[in-house]
């Protein structure tokens, strides 16, 4: 699994700052986590939740999985055998089907789901933020590459707008021949690269 430290190392190479002399690991972590949040908008994690057991006279449930959107709700009996689906609400009252609101699954009160049955919920979630260098990401390599593109764009913006940081970066061997104007141009290229990654990674979500 890829850790935050692995992504920081890759990003430091991208920024030509492999010794972290200009950009601290904390700065890189901030940009990486912002990138993780951004990529989830166009390339969310596909996931399921199987934690809900139907209780008598209870019609609202909070899945233990941190879902951001759901598109299907299956019903299983207490032994795990598949029974069918609960239809999705169409906005025609509570009995038209299930609804997802404020992280809560609302079931139609007059739909026949027996007490003890279990629900398997299909949907999407955001990726976890990486709080420690040893934290491992749930993202695949394509998403990691997109996050690096985002973080590079942010770092180039910071470099172009902080003269002290730019001078420190320029002192690193191999960077001395780069001008501030060149950094600004590189920053624009990095932003365009991030936009291309957003387009490449965008996925159609299932609606149910």
């Amino acid at each position: 699994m890829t850790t935050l430290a692995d992504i920081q190392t890759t990003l430091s190479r991208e920024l030509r700052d492999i010794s972290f002399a200009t950009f601290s690991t904390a700065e890189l972590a901030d940009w990486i986590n912002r990138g993780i949040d951004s990529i989830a908008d166009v390339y969310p994690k596909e996931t399921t939740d199987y934690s809900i057991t139907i209780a008598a006279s209870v019609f609202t449930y909070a899945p233990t999985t941190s879902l951001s959107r759901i598109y299907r709700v299956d019903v299983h009996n207490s032994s795990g055998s598949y029974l069918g689906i609960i239809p999705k609400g169409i906005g025609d009252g509570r009995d038209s089907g299930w609804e997802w609101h404020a992280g809560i699954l609302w079931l139609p009160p007059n739909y026949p789901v027996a007490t003890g049955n279990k629900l398997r919920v299909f949907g999407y979630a955001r990726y976890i933020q990486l709080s420690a260098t040893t934290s491992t990401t749930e993202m695949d390599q394509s998403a990691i590459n997109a996050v690096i593109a985002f973080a590079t764009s942010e770092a180039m913006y910071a470099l172009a707008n902080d003269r002290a940081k730019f001078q420190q970066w320029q002192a690193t061997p191999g960077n001395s021949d780069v001008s501030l104007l060149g950094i600004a141009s590189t920053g624009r290229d990095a932003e365009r690269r991030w936009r291309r990654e957003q387009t490449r990674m965008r996925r159609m979500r299932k609606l149910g």
Side-chain angles (χ1 to χ4, degrees):
M1 296 292 289
T2 304
T3 66
L4 173 59
D6 295 330
I7 302 174
Q8 286 170 320
T9 298
T10 302
L11 180 57
S12 70
R13 289 198 301 267
E14 189 80 13
L15 299 174
R16 294 158 66 176
D17 184 41
I18 58 174
S19 63
F20 305 102
T22 303
F23 304 105
S24 69
T25 55
E27 286 178 299
L28 299 189
D30 287 344
W31 290 322
I32 289 166
N33 278 312
R34 290 176 199 164
I36 291 172
D37 183 59
S38 294
I39 198 61
D41 290 333
V42 297
Y43 187 70
K45 181 178 70 172
E46 297 177 321
T47 190
T48 62
D49 182 90
Y50 196 46
S51 66
I52 297 173
T53 300
I54 298 298
S57 302
V58 177
F59 305 106
T60 58
Y61 296 89
T64 58
T65 304
S66 297
L67 293 158
S68 58
R69 184 172 184 173
I70 65 175
Y71 62 84
R72 194 174 93 204
V73 179
D74 287 355
V75 183
H76 297 252
N77 65 21
S78 58
S79 299
S81 297
Y82 175 72
L83 300 177
I85 66 167
I86 300 176
K88 183 178 181 180
I90 58 174
D92 190 24
R94 290 183 62 190
D95 274 333
S96 68
W98 61 262
E99 293 184 338
W100 178 249
H101 181 72
I104 300 295
L105 177 64
W106 296 68
L107 300 182
N110 293 309
Y111 190 87
V113 183
T115 299
N117 282 357
K118 300 191 69 176
L119 303 183
R120 187 181 298 278
V121 180
F122 293 77
Y124 301 96
R126 305 189 78 81
Y127 302 103
I128 59 169
Q129 295 282 287
L130 304 178
S131 58
T133 56
T134 55
S135 299
T136 56
T137 183
E138 308 158 295
M139 298 183 297
D140 59 24
Q141 190 59 53
S142 292
I144 291 171
N145 291 340
V147 166
I148 289 171
F150 172 93
T152 300
S153 176
E154 294 292 293
M156 289 295 103
Y157 179 82
L159 205 59
N161 288 276
D162 187 330
R163 185 169 295 276
K165 188 178 289 292
F166 169 71
Q167 291 172 342
Q168 188 175 28
W169 179 85
Q170 199 177 38
T172 301
N175 296 340
S176 59
D177 60 341
V178 181
S179 67
L180 191 57
L181 183 61
I183 284 294
S185 176
T186 300
R188 288 191 293 271
D189 290 341
E191 184 175 1
R192 284 192 290 267
R193 176 187 169 196
W194 160 239
R195 300 303 176 196
R196 288 195 301 270
E197 286 296 298
Q198 284 181 299
T199 301
R200 181 179 74 89
M201 297 295 295
R202 191 176 298 277
R203 296 292 184 270
M204 295 292 293
R205 292 172 174 81
K206 298 175 184 177
L207 300 178

